[in-house]
Each structure stands twice: as structure tokens, then as C-alpha cells.
Amino acid sequence: MNKNPRIPIVDCHCHIYPEKVAARAVAGIGAFYDIKMHMDGTKATLQGEAAHAGITHSMIFSVATKPAQVKSINEFIAGEVSMSGGTMTGLGTMHPLSEDMEGDMRHLLELGLRGVKLHPDVQGFCIDDERCQTIYALCEEAGIPVLLHTGDKRYDMSNPNRLRPMVEKFPRLTFIGAHLGGYSVWEDAVEQLRGLPNLYFDCSSTFAFMPMEKAKELILTLGADHVIFGTDYPMWVPKNEVDTFFSLSLSEEDNEKILWKNAQKLFRLDSAALQAAVL
């Protein structure tokens, strides 16, 4: 549970799916990573697990594996946000092979989505692909962040060596590198990505793969000002991720930054509402 019930917790990394396809989608993720999935990927389960974990607010999204899915996924996410009772905010999806990326951007902004989530490894493109750079330019112009899956030792599509040049090329765009900037290649991430002012990191899908001392070291090296909390639902149990985070024994100031203040700034969340939810 939230060890300090007066601190909001924003879970910045949650995948959800329509109930009719959730089981298939979750099984696909598990197969892609060869990892046992712990949750069912539905919004209803996420809401229940978030409440159990003391999570105040959830950032939800899904990923289009082909351009034809972009519009329907964004409308699904926006619809789930509207029915969440103010407990969720959505990020949109885009695809570099879309024939109308400008239209896709206009649509997701009209839906009230607060950023774009991309997964190069699953969507099948490199993070520095020229077509993907069109998406970055659109996000930069719109003033919204882009959350990227980053890192995988099995591939070279989203690793830190590809991310850093993009962060430097688009200095007015806020990038968020999931999984502390480099799933399964964390040492490369720290070496190549620390100290970039427009790059943030979420800590999802990291705690299961390293000792807690190492996780704490990585977070402090990257800087609490640039880290946000995430569970990677449905991959992990939200309560366990919250409890593990508190076991790091970071300072109260760092806890507040990582658990909600950084996210509130990045995604323009209602600060008063977040705090009121835990009073």
C-alpha cells in the first residue's frame, strides 16, 4: 500500500484493451517478452488494482501495430478516459506508415489525449526512422510529450544509441524513455542518456530484473527530477510495484517527484484533484 496516504501516486505506464480482445493482446505481449503476464489488461481490473495499491491516477494507452488501427485505438482510449470518473488520462498512438499523420495528430488532440505512446520493437520501426521523426516533429509542434518503449538486448530498434540523437535533434520535445531508458540494457542507458534536459524516464518493468540497490542507484543517477512511476500493467501487479518502489527508501522529496509531481507537470494533470483524491 501507499506508505504515505497523503502522497498521490500517478501510474504513468498502463496498457488497456477492449474486453473482447484483451486476452489475446495480453497473451501476445507475454509471448513477445517470454514473461508471465499477471493481469488481464482490462480497464475494470486496472481500476480495482489501482485502488488496492493506493494509486490515485492512471495514464492509459495502447499501441497500433498497423496504421488502420490508429483512429479506433485513440477513440477507445479517449472513451475509457471519459468513463473513468477522472481517475485516468490517455495517451494516443500513431504509426510511421500512416498516410495522414497530421490528421492522426489532429484527431488525438481533439480527443483530449495528452501525448503519444510508441513501441518501436512491437510496431516494427527504428526509433530514429525518418518517418518516425515526422511524429516527433508533430508532437513538438503540438507541445505534447512522446513516451517511447526503450531498450531490448535482442534488437537494435529502440536502444539508447538510437534515442540520444533524437532527443538532441528535437530539443523542444519532451521525450520519456520507458523502463529507465533501456529495458535489459540499463548500463547503456545510464551511460548514454543521463543529463539530457528534455528526456525523462519511467521506472516500469525494471524492479523484477535487478536488485533493489541497483534500481535505486539507477534512479538517483538519472535524477529524481526526471523519473516518473509506472507499473506496466498488465505485465505486473500494481500493488507489488508500489510496494517495491517504497522499499527503495528514497527521500520523501524524491518520492513526491517520482510518484506524482513530475507526471503532473509532464501531462498537465490537475494538481488539486490529485491531492484531493488522497485527503
Side-chain angles (χ1 to χ4, degrees):
M1 289 292 291
N2 182 349
K3 298 298 192 300
N4 186 339
R6 301 183 70 86
I7 296 179
I9 300 177
V10 179
D11 182 353
C12 296
H13 200 120
C14 304
H15 306 259
I16 67 165
Y17 309 97
E19 290 189 9
K20 64 182 180 181
V21 303
R24 185 168 71 251
V26 170
I29 297 173
F32 185 82
Y33 286 106
D34 192 22
I35 290 175
K36 177 184 176 182
M37 304 296 286
H38 291 81
M39 300 277 103
D40 67 9
T42 65
K43 185 185 79 170
T45 297
L46 173 60
Q47 287 183 304
E49 292 292 329
H52 182 53
I55 291 169
T56 312
H57 200 84
S58 301
M59 304 296 303
I60 61 171
F61 44 76
S62 191
V63 172
T65 56
K66 52 187 178 182
Q69 297 173 336
V70 169
K71 184 175 185 288
S72 61
I73 288 176
N74 287 340
E75 290 177 350
F76 164 70
I77 294 296
E80 296 299 274
V81 168
S82 70
M83 295 185 291
S84 71
T87 63
M88 294 181 173
T89 296
L91 302 183
T93 186
M94 295 185 71
H95 198 286
L97 296 182
S98 170
E99 295 181 357
D100 185 15
M101 282 192 270
E102 291 185 0
D104 293 338
M105 176 60 72
R106 284 195 303 272
H107 186 229
L108 75 84
L109 293 174
E110 290 167 357
L111 291 169
L113 302 176
R114 302 291 181 88
V116 169
K117 167 66 193 303
L118 300 175
H119 195 311
D121 301 55
V122 167
Q123 292 179 286
F125 61 84
C126 290
I127 215 166
D128 52 358
D129 187 294
E130 279 192 24
R131 294 163 296 186
C132 196
Q133 292 183 46
T134 299
I135 297 176
Y136 303 152
L138 290 168
C139 289
E140 187 176 55
E141 181 181 357
I144 59 172
V146 58
L147 170 60
L148 293 156
H149 170 90
T150 46
D152 196 317
K153 63 185 178 182
R154 301 173 298 173
Y155 312 109
D156 183 24
M157 302 179 81
S158 63
N159 286 342
N161 59 293
R162 293 190 182 274
L163 176 58
R164 184 181 181 105
M166 297 298 95
V167 175
E168 294 174 333
K169 184 172 181 176
F170 296 91
R172 295 185 295 109
L173 173 60
T174 297
F175 289 84
I176 303 166
H179 322 310
L180 291 181
Y183 172 78
S184 73
V185 290
W186 287 286
E187 294 299 332
D188 289 344
V190 168
E191 179 181 346
Q192 297 185 46
L193 300 177
R194 61 188 294 188
L196 296 169
N198 57 322
L199 176 59
Y200 289 72
F201 308 88
D202 80 34
C203 62
S204 69
S205 284
T206 57
F207 300 147
F209 302 105
M210 63 186 70
M212 291 304 95
E213 295 82 2
K214 183 62 175 179
K216 182 175 183 178
E217 176 190 339
L218 289 175
I219 288 171
L220 293 177
T221 300
L222 293 171
D225 288 333
H226 282 255
V227 176
I228 56 180
F229 178 74
T231 66
D232 215 350
Y233 171 91
M235 190 168 283
W236 312 106
V237 177
K239 182 181 183 300
N240 294 349
E241 295 299 291
V242 170
D243 289 346
T244 301
F245 176 82
F246 278 109
S247 78
L248 300 177
S249 298
L250 298 170
S251 70
E252 284 300 307
E253 180 181 6
D254 286 349
N255 282 345
E256 290 214 12
K257 290 176 181 177
I258 295 168
L259 290 174
W260 75 279
K261 287 187 174 179
N262 294 340
Q264 185 275 323
K265 177 182 67 174
L266 289 175
F267 300 112
R268 308 188 314 279
L269 304 178
D270 186 326
S271 176
L274 290 176
Q275 294 177 81
V278 295
L279 295 179

